[in-house]
Structure formats: structure tokens, C-alpha cells
Amino acid sequence: MEPRREQGLLRTDSIPEVGEDAAATVGMAETLSEEEQEELRRELAKVEEEIQTLSQVLAAKEKHLAEIKRKLGINSLQELKQNITKSWQDVTSTAAYKKTSETLSQAGQKASAAFSTVGSVITKKLEDVKNSPTFKSFEEKVENLKFKVGGNKPAGGDFGEVLNSAANASATETIAEQTQEETH
């Protein structure tokens, strides 16, 4: 073989690719004797024959495997389920998963506590609003409206009843006005 010629970091000769025929490589065939080339051709034929045999054996094994699975009632969907289950078990047994799960659990507990606190604050604020002078004044005006619209019913009751009563009275007035317009 002749030495490689190099220019700086770049090679000027070709490098055989994986699986490339050694006898066809430029420069290589010229440096091998007839006897060496013939030996390589025999080895090449032998390796190709072994590959062919191994491919046939693999195909037969795969066919046998499929037959065994068929007899056991194992289908592709069941295999997929088993693979997913196995993968999930592998994931959940890792330290990273356990640490993440623990962290998320703690975060959930903290978020739950925060929402509880926010709920308490909102409830307190609504109670403050209900007890405020402005709300009381509004409540009195609604009760007065109820009295004026509803007649001699006693004022009082809870605020929801007052609003419902006012809404019903308003709806009754609207219906009465529409009926009056239709008759004229």
C-alpha cells in the first residue's frame, strides 16, 4: 500500500464506506496481488452466504414467535398494553419521578391551603360589604320599593326574598303595561 497523501488536515485519498466492496475501492485493488484478491472474493462470498442464512433463520424464528403468541392469545394490542404498563412502572420507580411526585404533592397541598385562605378572605370581605352603610342603604331602598310595589306586606325578610319580590313586581308591571297597550 502506498502512504496517504495529506494536505493540512484534509486527506486526498478516499476512505472506504461501511459495507463498501473492498476490491472496488480505488487504489486498493491495484495494490493487492491476484492471490489476495481471490482470497478476499471467497471471504466476501462466504460472508454474504452467512448473512443470507442468518436472515432465513431470523425469519423462521420470527414466524415461530408469532405462532406461539397466537396460541397464547397474545395480540399486538395486548403487547402494547404490556409494554406501556412496563414502561410506566419503570418510570414511576425512578428517583426523578418520585422526587417530582413528592414536590407536586407538596405544591398541591400549599395551593389548597392558599385557596382556603383566599376563600376565607372573600367570605370576610362579603360580610364586610353586607354590613357596610352603603349596602344597608341599598337594602332599605329595595325594601321600600317592595312595600310600594307589593302593597301592605310587612317589610323585612331576607335580602334574597326582597330582590325576588321586587323582580316579580317589576315583571308584573311590565305584563300589565303590555296588556294595556294591546287593548288600546
Side-chain angles (χ1 to χ4, degrees), residues 41-61:
R41 284 189 188 99
R42 282 192 300 272
E43 187 177 343
L44 176 63
K46 181 181 173 189
V47 170
E48 286 175 341
E49 185 179 319
E50 288 173 353
I51 290 172
Q52 181 68 25
T53 303
L54 290 172
S55 294
Q56 291 169 351
V57 169
L58 179 60
K61 293 283 186 185

Side-chain angles (χ1 to χ4, degrees), residues 3-183:
R4 292 195 169 158
R5 289 166 277 157
E6 295 184 3
Q7 292 178 335
L9 297 175
L10 301 174
R11 292 182 175 161
T12 57
D13 59 338
S14 66
I15 300 172
E17 295 290 323
V18 174
E20 188 175 327
D21 188 2
T25 304
V26 177
M28 294 292 282
E30 297 168 4
T31 60
L32 296 175
S33 68
E34 276 295 315
E35 191 176 293
E36 290 172 323
Q37 288 181 12
E38 189 57 38
E39 178 63 29
L40 285 175
R41 284 189 188 99
R42 282 192 300 272
E43 187 177 343
L44 176 63
K46 181 181 173 189
V47 170
E48 286 175 341
E49 185 179 319
E50 288 173 353
I51 290 172
Q52 181 68 25
T53 303
L54 290 172
S55 294
Q56 291 169 351
V57 169
L58 179 60
K61 293 283 186 185
E62 286 175 338
K63 185 176 178 182
H64 184 65
L65 174 70
E67 183 64 24
I68 291 171
K69 285 181 178 180
R70 186 189 61 76
K71 287 179 180 177
L72 290 173
I74 299 172
N75 60 31
S76 299
L77 182 59
Q78 288 172 325
E79 283 186 82
L80 179 63
K81 286 179 184 177
Q82 288 174 349
N83 288 342
I84 289 172
T85 300
K86 173 79 170 93
S87 296
W88 182 247
Q89 288 172 347
D90 291 347
V91 166
T92 57
S93 66
T94 63
Y97 176 84
K98 289 177 181 175
K99 178 69 177 167
T100 302
S101 177
E102 182 180 308
T103 302
L104 289 175
S105 176
Q106 291 172 354
Q109 291 170 355
K110 289 178 182 177
S112 178
F115 286 133
S116 177
T117 302
V118 168
S120 297
V121 169
I122 289 173
T123 301
K124 173 83 170 85
K125 287 294 182 185
L126 287 174
E127 287 175 5
D128 291 348
V129 166
K130 188 175 177 184
N131 294 328
S132 71
T134 304
F135 188 80
K136 294 279 187 192
S137 173
F138 176 72
E139 189 174 29
E140 286 174 14
K141 288 178 182 175
V142 170
E143 286 180 16
N144 288 336
L145 176 64
K146 177 184 171 193
F147 180 73
K148 288 178 183 176
V149 172
N152 293 332
K153 295 181 183 172
D158 102 337
F159 184 66
E161 290 175 10
V162 173
L163 283 178
N164 284 336
S165 174
N168 287 337
S170 175
T172 304
E173 281 181 5
T174 305
I175 291 171
E177 288 172 4
Q178 288 175 350
T179 306
Q180 208 172 37
E181 288 175 5
E182 290 174 1
T183 57

